[in-house]
Amino acid sequence: MKTTTATAEVLNDLVQINNDRIEGYEKARQELKDEDADLKTLFLSMIGESQKYKMALATEVAALGEDIETGTTNSGKIYRAWMDVKALFTGHDRKTVLNNCEFGEDAAQNAYKMALEEEAIPSNIRDLISDQKASLRTSHDEIKRLRDAQA
């Protein structure tokens, strides 16, 4: 029972990180200018990515018989950096928005890394977390590439 609850807590922390990521990218899209349509499209894709991951994580939480988190990391235990990022998205240029997004992606990577360090997680859930982390790493690297391409 204790293992089930601990696993659900880790999964719920990742649900919250994905909620933060969705909220962060929605805010970032609002801050961008019309000429940044490429980033708006990319950010929409990343929102969809996190929605998909959140659903997969929530399905596992439900299968464990636990309640699914619906909020952001105000109460999360793993990492709270997206909250800081969301506070930074106010009237910035393309490079600044990308810098803030990379900071948030670093936070997500750290949250997933910490989740994988939990010893009591069953192998099927560990695989799910590992796969999501790898995919999120690709998104992180894309944000970093775009940021580095800015003058």
Side-chain angles (χ1 to χ4, degrees):
M1 183 65 180
K2 186 177 178 192
T3 301
T4 299
T5 302
T7 299
E9 283 180 15
V10 168
L11 290 169
N12 271 321
D13 283 340
L14 296 178
V15 166
Q16 290 175 317
I17 283 292
N18 279 287
N19 284 341
D20 285 348
R21 194 168 179 264
I22 291 164
E23 195 172 309
Y25 279 117
E26 285 174 347
K27 181 72 171 156
R29 288 185 80 235
Q30 294 167 8
E31 293 297 327
L32 289 169
K33 298 175 179 70
D34 290 342
E35 60 265 23
D36 295 318
D38 62 324
L39 289 184
K40 289 184 179 193
T41 301
L42 176 65
F43 293 173
L44 193 59
S45 169
M46 291 182 174
I47 290 167
E49 178 182 53
S50 273
Q51 288 170 332
K52 182 176 85 173
Y53 294 160
K54 182 176 83 165
M55 289 306 300
L57 294 164
T59 298
E60 293 298 334
V61 172
L64 293 168
E66 299 286 335
D67 292 333
I68 301 162
E69 285 292 337
T70 57
T72 56
T73 54
N74 282 329
S75 60
K77 293 178 183 161
I78 289 186
Y79 210 73
R80 293 179 173 88
W82 265 105
M83 295 310 289
D84 298 331
V85 172
K86 289 182 287 191
L88 295 172
F89 282 124
T90 49
H92 294 303
D93 61 16
R94 181 180 174 103
K95 184 170 184 172
T96 303
V97 169
L98 286 166
N99 267 332
N100 293 339
C101 289
E102 187 188 2
F103 180 78
E105 290 296 336
D106 287 343
Q109 283 295 305
N110 191 44
Y112 273 81
K113 177 179 173 279
M114 292 174 73
L116 289 168
E117 289 170 358
E118 291 288 327
E119 293 176 11
I121 295 178
S123 63
N124 66 314
I125 292 176
R126 184 173 301 282
D127 290 346
L128 171 69
I129 293 170
S130 183
D131 289 348
Q132 287 188 4
K133 182 181 186 298
S135 183
L136 287 169
R137 184 69 201 188
T138 301
S139 295
H140 169 278
D141 292 348
E142 176 68 5
I143 291 292
K144 185 177 185 326
R145 184 189 66 74
L146 289 166
R147 194 262 342 255
D148 290 348
Q150 298 302 303

